[in-house]
């Protein structure tokens, strides 16, 4: 349950930050365009949740399945799954011709980064003993 809450609460806004406040700003800087950073973009948050909640919950389910089986490299595999579930729906738009070039592969980072962060946050932590055993 904790894992679902972490992914549902953190992944959509983190994907928004990666897309609009990191990747878009870097793309504008490389193209020589003006900066489009605006705090008023936070008003898009309800829409961000509508778009990002289903992929976030799918990534949480995948992370839970990996954690249940005690798979090593769980965070990396969850990030790869997040990349795939973010990129594959966009791939149809690229096949139609709306996008081109190798840079379109970077759009998967919008799902990979939040998936990795949420997977890391949802990991079970080992609490060290503060009092040594006799």
């Amino acid at each position: 349950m904790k894992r679902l809450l972490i992914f549902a609460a953190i992944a959509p806004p983190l994907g928004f930050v990666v897309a609009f406040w990191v990747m878009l700003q870097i793309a504008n800087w490389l193209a020589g365009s003006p900066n489009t950073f605006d705090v008023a973009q936070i008003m898009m948050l309800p829409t961000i949740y509508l778009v990002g909640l289903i992929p976030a919950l799918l990534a949480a389910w995948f992370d839970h399945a990996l954690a249940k089986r005690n798979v090593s490299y769980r965070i990396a595999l969850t990030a790869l799954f997040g990349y795939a579930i973010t990129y594959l729906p966009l791939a149809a738009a690229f096949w139609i011709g709306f996008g081109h070039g190798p840079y379109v592969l970077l759009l998967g980072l919008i799902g990979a980064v939040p998936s990795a962060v949420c997977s890391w946050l949802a990991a079970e932590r080992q609490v060290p003993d503060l009092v040594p055993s006799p």
Side-chain angles (χ1 to χ4, degrees):
M1 183 65 168
K2 178 183 85 163
R3 186 176 316 273
L4 286 174
L5 290 175
I6 289 173
F7 273 82
I10 296 174
L14 190 55
F16 167 77
V17 167
V18 169
F20 287 98
W21 290 353
V22 177
M23 293 177 62
L24 182 62
Q25 303 314 315
I26 292 172
N28 284 339
W29 178 71
L30 290 174
S33 300
N35 190 353
T36 59
F37 178 78
D38 189 9
V39 179
Q41 292 171 337
I42 292 176
M43 292 172 47
M44 293 181 359
L45 202 55
T47 306
I48 298 302
Y49 271 101
L50 284 175
V51 171
L53 191 59
I54 298 297
L57 293 177
L58 287 172
W61 168 79
F62 184 78
D63 187 61
H64 174 71
L66 292 179
K68 195 174 187 181
R69 289 172 179 76
N70 206 11
V71 174
S72 56
Y73 303 111
R74 179 180 53 84
I75 296 172
L77 291 173
T78 303
L80 190 60
F81 183 79
Y83 181 95
I85 63 175
T86 303
Y87 181 73
L88 290 178
L90 297 173
F94 301 132
W95 289 330
I96 293 171
F98 292 129
H100 51 82
Y103 65 88
V104 297
L105 295 174
L106 295 176
L107 293 177
L109 293 177
I110 297 169
V113 172
S115 295
V117 169
C118 291
S119 177
W120 175 70
L121 288 173
E124 297 294 327
R125 305 280 191 268
Q126 297 279 339
V127 178
D129 291 332
L130 297 178
V131 179
S133 301

